[in-house]
Amino acid sequence: MSLHDEQGYPRTLVLNSSYQPITTIDPKRAAVLLIDGVAELVEGTGSFFRSPYISVPVASVVRLCRQTRTPRKYRVHLTKRTLFARDSGLCAYCLSPAENIDHVIPKSRPGGTHTWTNVVAACQRCNVKKGARTPEEAGMRLHKQPTEPRGQEAFILGLAGYQDSWDTWFNKFS
């Protein structure tokens, strides 16, 4: 999933009719929702999709005209992108920029699962230093215990192309 469409437009945030964030979509899909009257423009980017017959704003945020059911609990898939987002792109051991995924309990050991509570972002140097050992065995310490994202944190991590300008909409529902 790309964070921008092929013309370079960022993703569009979709709000429920109650202004609760529910997902992100391609900006061209948002334009279709606007044209069909399914959604209304809340924030634009200042750009427009143009044809000989119509001009539609490129939306940053749209609001659905009808309320849609949303799941009460969000679960986010463990991917490199979502893990690095959870760990702010920093190594869990030395806080330098991360490049790798490290299993706290190595995969070769009992309990060495590929789950949120056993993986952290790590820099190349720390990943090599730790190797197939636990942090204690390698004389290293985690700056923060890995946890599974829940609630709004999980929802935001699962969104593609999160933009800081959307913080207003998430702060209303925290």
Side-chain angles (χ1 to χ4, degrees):
M1 178 182 300
S2 173
L3 303 182
H4 293 81
D5 74 355
E6 55 278 353
Q7 292 179 332
Y9 295 115
R11 305 279 295 172
T12 300
L13 177 65
V14 178
L15 306 174
N16 221 333
S17 62
S18 62
Y19 290 91
Q20 181 178 13
I22 55 175
T23 191
T24 61
I25 59 175
D26 182 270
K28 290 179 184 173
R29 175 72 183 130
V32 171
L33 295 178
L34 294 171
I35 291 167
D36 291 346
V38 173
E40 64 183 18
L41 180 69
V42 176
E43 290 179 14
T45 63
S47 298
F48 291 84
F49 291 117
R50 299 184 196 281
S51 80
Y53 307 102
I54 192 169
S55 178
V56 180
V58 176
S60 174
V61 181
V62 296
R63 177 180 162 262
L64 297 177
C65 296
R66 296 188 117 152
Q67 188 71 11
T68 302
R69 285 190 66 159
T70 57
R72 288 191 176 262
K73 293 184 180 181
Y74 295 101
R75 297 207 68 179
V76 63
H77 293 286
L78 175 55
T79 65
K80 188 172 183 177
R81 181 185 70 81
T82 56
L83 175 65
F84 277 48
R86 182 198 71 183
D87 293 353
S88 302
L90 300 175
C91 176
Y93 302 106
C94 70
L95 301 178
S96 64
E99 304 149 336
N100 301 305
I101 294 175
D102 180 63
H103 291 81
V104 178
I105 299 172
K107 286 171 61 172
S108 60
R109 305 248 185 119
T113 58
H114 188 72
T115 60
W116 280 107
T117 56
N118 191 48
V119 294
V120 293
C123 68
Q124 181 72 24
R125 192 173 135 261
C126 288
N127 200 22
V128 169
K129 178 182 175 184
K130 182 178 162 290
R133 300 177 291 174
T134 65
E136 294 79 25
E137 292 169 348
M140 302 168 75
R141 74 173 190 88
L142 288 168
H143 283 275
K144 183 179 161 188
Q145 276 304 119
T147 59
E148 182 174 353
R150 301 222 180 263
Q152 184 171 313
E153 179 190 16
F155 179 72
I156 291 172
L157 287 178
L159 287 177
Y162 186 83
Q163 300 169 40
D164 291 338
S165 63
W166 297 345
D167 284 346
T168 304
W169 305 107
F170 288 98
N171 293 336
K172 289 181 182 182
F173 289 92
S174 358

